[in-house]
């Protein structure tokens, strides 16, 4: 006998292999093997289903399957997208330059910082350029 | 003139023989599976659907010995009051699973209830000549001619005889839906797996159990190989009837490394659904499971059922639920699972050990045939006991730690001769597997079943919990 806990912010009926088998956030007994986990009722959650192989669990240490409400999931996805768009290289560069800054004299620091500053400038330059061209067109 | 008469007689005999055919199980109405039609768990109004206790009783094989032992258990359950005397244990039984000799008691109780118990005793248990009459029926000229047909055999004759003495031509359509869900088991010859006479099992072969006589199920269950021939069922399986197993079916295809039992269950179903198999040949249920526990054990440990559209949605006013005890446990519909295994197994004396002579061929064949069956039965009992104690320990541990999991307790009670003192065991071990036990022996079996069950501490605990 194996055990699984399906996490969801609210109490919903859990379907295992298409059949109603208990509720979310409780520890449910299941047969060992591969099972499809879904929630009954509205399909306002993500992922739409989760296929998992359940083996080697106990009631104290069940397999955890997590579903997210679609709204929350969309918000999380948006945050992830924004994080991807945001200029992430900055902290990386800083991390790489720190040892260099320690080894070399303080005078060289500004010299190295210049190209670092240029990079984001280059990326944003295109956008800025596009904006300025658009602005020029608008002016015309 | 005489030659002409003999010619006419021979010709008519041949014609009769050619006409003889086993009663063909019909296809489903319109050859379409209806998940709500027929004798299936979903259609039953068993007590577990009203209270929180699931009681499963299994009756083993063993001829009249097994039937009488099962009868004694039913009587003791009837005489055990619960809920302050307003009900009894027999009324609380949800499922009966049976094999071979035990199937006579199971089927008769399912059809005629507690009021039919005296009739079962009078017409079957207390009839020491049943076996003789069955054998003599083959000598009847009419039957002898019919037996010449390749499509009519001794098992069909046995089914007719059981119908005549016990079941009055009742089909599964007459099985009451408020009685225990009765699983009469045979063994599918090719697959070597148990085959249960329920509509859930008949859906994959697209056949209608409602029109099948109960006596044929009982005859199948007791079709001891060689003595009785296999019983044949026609399969109408194919995509046209629209049977589709649940989502577990495709997922279980990946389970060979993690759960080979589930993988095999899936493959057995695939074989049943095959349109290439036009007939199923069924033999004694004891060949696959002589205790009758394998079907219930599957339901206790698995959510996989043969029921089509098994969503078991509690919001549905008429939910379709296949028979899965595990499903009921996880949905917190039941808090107690009780299995009473009535095991009529006897132990033969170790006669071979007393002689240096090489054992004769027939006893060797009998031992070789019987030993795997006995070992498998022993394993089934041991497996159930181990499983239950593990699950109880798991639940207790989870409850102590405050884990939100179904609080369910499992009880296993075995009614078997091995709990008796050795001198008493010997009396029952001498009783053979046949349909020719004397009335005294039948009375002893009924009495000992009541004694063993009544003395069981586990049974006392269950009764106390159900007050």
């Amino acid at each position: 006998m194996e055990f699984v806990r399906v996490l969801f912010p609210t109490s919903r009926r859990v379907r295992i292999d298409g059949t109603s088998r208990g509720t979310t956030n409780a520890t449910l007994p299941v047969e060992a093997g591969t099972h499809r986990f879904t929630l009954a009722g509205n399909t306002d959650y993500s992922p739409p289903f989760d296929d998992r192989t359940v083996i080697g669990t106990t009631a104290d240490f069940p397999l955890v399957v997590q579903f997210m409400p679609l709204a929350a999931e969309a918000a999380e996805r948006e945050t992830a997208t924004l994080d991807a768009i945001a200029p992430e290289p900055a902290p990386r560069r800083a991390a790489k330059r720190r040892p260099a800054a320690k080894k070399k004299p303080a005078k060289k620091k500004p010299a190295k910082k210049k190209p670092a500053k240029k990079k984001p400038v280059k990326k944003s330059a295109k956008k800025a350029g596009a904006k300025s061209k658009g602005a020029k067109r608008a002016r015309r | 003139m005489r030659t002409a008469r003999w010619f006419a007689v021979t010709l008519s005999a041949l014609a009769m023989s050619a006409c003889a055919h086993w009663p063909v199980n019909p296809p489903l109405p319109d050859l379409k599976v209806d998940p709500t039609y027929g004798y299936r768990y979903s259609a039953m109004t068993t007590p577990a659907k009203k209270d929180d206790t699931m009681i499963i009783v299994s009756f083993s094989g063993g001829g009249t010995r097994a039937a009488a032992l099962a009868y004694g258990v039913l009587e003791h359950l009837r005489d055990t009051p619960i809920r302050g005397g307003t009900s009894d244990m027999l009324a609380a039984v949800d499922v009966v699973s049976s094999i071979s000799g035990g199937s006579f008691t199971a089927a008769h109780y399912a059809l005629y209830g507690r009021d039919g118990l005296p009739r079962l005793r009078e017409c079957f248990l207390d009839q020491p000549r049943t076996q003789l009459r069955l054998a003599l029926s083959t000598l009847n000229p009419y039957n002898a001619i019919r037996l010449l047909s390749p499509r009519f055999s001794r098992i069909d004759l046995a089914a007719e005889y059981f119908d005549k003495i016990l079941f009055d031509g009742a089909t599964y359509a007459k099985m009451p839906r408020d009685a225990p869900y009765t699983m009469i088991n045979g063994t599918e010859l090719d697959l070597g797996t148990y085959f249960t006479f329920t509509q859930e099992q008949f859906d994959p072969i697209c056949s209608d159990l409602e029109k099948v006589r109960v006596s044929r199920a009982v005859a199948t269950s007791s079709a001891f190989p060689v003595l009785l021939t296999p019983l044949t069922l026609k399969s109408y399986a194919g995509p046209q009837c629209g049977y589709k197993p649940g989502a577990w079916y495709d997922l279980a295809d990946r389970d060979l490394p993690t759960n080979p039992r589930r993988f095999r269950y899936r493959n057995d179903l695939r074989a049943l659904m095959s349109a290439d198999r036009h007939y199923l040949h069924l033999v004694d249920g004891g060949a696959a499971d002589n205790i009758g526990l394998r079907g219930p054990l599957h339901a206790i440990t698995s959510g996989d059922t043969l029921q089509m559209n098994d969503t078991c949605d509690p919001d549905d006013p008429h939910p379709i639920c296949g028979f899965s005890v595990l499903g009921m446990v996880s949905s917190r519909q039941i808090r107690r699972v009780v299995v009473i295994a009535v095991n009529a197994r006897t132990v033969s004396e170790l006669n071979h050990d007393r002689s240096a002579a090489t054992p004769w061929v027939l006893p060797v064949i009998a031992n070789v045939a019987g030993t795997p069956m006995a070992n498998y039965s022993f394993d089934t009992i041991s497996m159930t006991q181990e499983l239950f104690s593990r699950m109880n320990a798991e639940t207790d541990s989870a409850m102590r730690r405050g884990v939100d999991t179904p609080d369910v307790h499992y009880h296993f009670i075995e009614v078997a001769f091995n709990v008796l003192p050795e001198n008493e065991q010997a009396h029952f071990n001498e009783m053979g597997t046949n349909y020719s036990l004397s009335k005294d022996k039948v009375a002893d079996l009924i009495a000992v079943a009541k004694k063993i069950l009544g003395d069981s501490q586990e049974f006392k605990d269950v009764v106390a919990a159900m007050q």
Side-chain angles (χ1 to χ4, degrees), chain B residues 52-321:
Chain B
D52 61 357
T53 302
M54 162 68 66
I55 300 182
I56 300 170
V57 184
S58 78
F59 296 151
S60 77
T64 304
R65 188 182 70 241
L69 203 67
Y71 181 94
V73 165
L74 289 185
E75 279 202 338
H76 189 74
L77 292 172
R78 182 196 62 192
D79 300 337
T80 307
I82 54 168
R83 296 187 191 104
T86 56
S87 186
D88 56 56
M89 284 295 283
L90 187 58
V93 172
D94 298 281
V95 176
V96 176
S97 173
S98 67
I99 298 286
S100 199
S103 292
F104 289 90
T105 308
H108 198 275
Y109 176 64
L111 272 171
Y112 305 109
R114 62 180 66 205
D115 295 340
L117 289 177
R119 180 178 177 265
L120 172 67
R121 184 158 185 184
E122 183 191 337
C123 299
F124 181 70
L125 299 177
D126 283 343
Q127 294 294 330
R129 290 182 184 167
T130 300
Q131 188 153 322
L132 180 68
R133 286 178 186 146
L134 195 56
L136 287 176
S137 68
T138 60
L139 303 177
N140 177 313
Y142 171 66
N143 291 335
I145 290 167
R146 289 198 298 165
L147 287 172
L148 292 174
S149 166
R151 291 182 184 84
F152 190 88
S153 54
R154 296 193 298 283
I155 190 70
D156 304 306
L157 209 54
E160 285 180 4
Y161 182 71
F162 299 148
D163 215 14
K164 187 177 144 191
I165 62 166
L166 272 183
F167 302 113
D168 310 319
T171 62
Y172 268 85
K174 287 192 177 172
M175 286 280 252
R177 270 38 172 185
D178 57 353
Y181 181 56
T182 303
M183 304 162 70
I184 297 173
N185 300 286
T187 301
E188 213 284 324
L189 195 60
D190 278 344
L191 299 174
T193 185
Y194 63 89
F195 183 95
T196 310
F197 278 75
T198 60
Q199 190 56 52
E200 284 181 44
Q201 181 90 69
F202 271 57
D203 279 348
I205 62 166
C206 307
S207 182
D208 185 359
L209 180 65
E210 291 290 273
K211 296 179 180 72
V212 174
R213 289 188 175 192
V214 177
S215 59
R216 288 187 67 74
V218 174
T220 302
S221 187
S222 55
F224 192 77
V226 184
L227 288 180
L228 286 170
T229 49
L231 183 133
T232 307
L233 288 179
K234 184 163 171 55
S235 172
Y236 305 90
Q240 74 281 357
C241 83
Y243 175 76
K244 281 180 189 164
W248 66 268
Y249 178 79
D250 290 329
L251 296 160
D253 193 26
R254 309 174 201 170
D255 282 346
L256 180 59
T258 48
N259 189 347
R261 200 187 301 278
R262 191 180 191 222
F263 181 78
R264 185 187 169 182
Y265 187 72
R266 184 246 182 219
N267 283 354
D268 288 344
L269 176 57
R270 186 178 63 177
L272 274 187
M273 287 159 56
S274 168
D276 296 334
R277 303 179 84 222
H278 304 297
Y279 297 97
L280 308 181
H281 300 284
L282 308 174
V283 294
D284 193 326
D289 162 27
N290 205 33
I291 302 293
L293 262 183
R294 287 281 164 169
L297 211 48
H298 174 82
I300 289 167
T301 56
S302 174
D304 305 340
T305 70
L306 303 181
Q307 172 70 53
M308 192 170 124
N309 296 351
D310 181 2
T311 55
C312 210
D313 197 339
D315 294 334
D316 192 333
H318 302 289
I320 297 174
C321 296

Side-chain angles (χ1 to χ4, degrees), chain A residues 11-34:
Chain A
S11 180
R12 291 274 292 267
R13 289 206 169 84
V14 174
R15 282 191 170 172
I16 301 176
D17 304 334
T19 309
S20 186
R21 300 276 187 247
T23 54
T24 51
N25 309 315
T27 303
L28 307 174
V30 291
E31 185 184 14
T34 311

Side-chain angles (χ1 to χ4, degrees), chain A residues 46-136:
Chain A
S46 179
F49 63 87
D50 199 351
D51 288 353
R52 295 286 199 94
T53 300
V54 191
I55 191 84
T57 62
T58 63
D60 292 334
F61 299 100
L63 175 86
V64 175
V65 175
Q66 185 156 21
F67 290 109
M68 297 282 283
L70 261 186
E73 201 268 345
E76 195 171 271
R77 201 189 307 147
E78 198 175 313
T79 313
T81 313
L82 288 172
D83 288 348
I85 293 167
E88 275 182 40
R92 282 182 191 171
R93 268 178 247 132
K96 281 177 185 174
R97 277 160 206 163
R98 267 175 207 159
K102 284 176 187 172
K103 285 176 186 174
K104 291 175 184 177
K107 285 180 183 177
K108 287 178 183 178
K109 278 182 183 174
K112 279 195 173 181
K113 275 180 185 173
K114 280 174 188 173
K117 280 179 182 175
K118 279 174 190 174
K119 278 182 182 175
V121 170
K122 276 177 187 176
K123 280 182 182 175
S124 59
K126 286 179 183 177
K127 290 178 185 175
K131 278 178 187 174
S132 61
K133 280 174 189 176
K136 281 174 187 176

Side-chain angles (χ1 to χ4, degrees), chain B residues 320-343:
Chain B
I320 297 174
C321 296
F323 178 47
S324 168
V325 178
L326 180 66
M328 287 179 247
V329 166
S330 37
S331 302
R332 306 191 192 213
Q333 293 168 37
I334 50 175
R335 294 188 60 198
R336 194 178 296 112
V337 178
V338 182
V339 172
I340 302 173
V342 185
N343 184 1

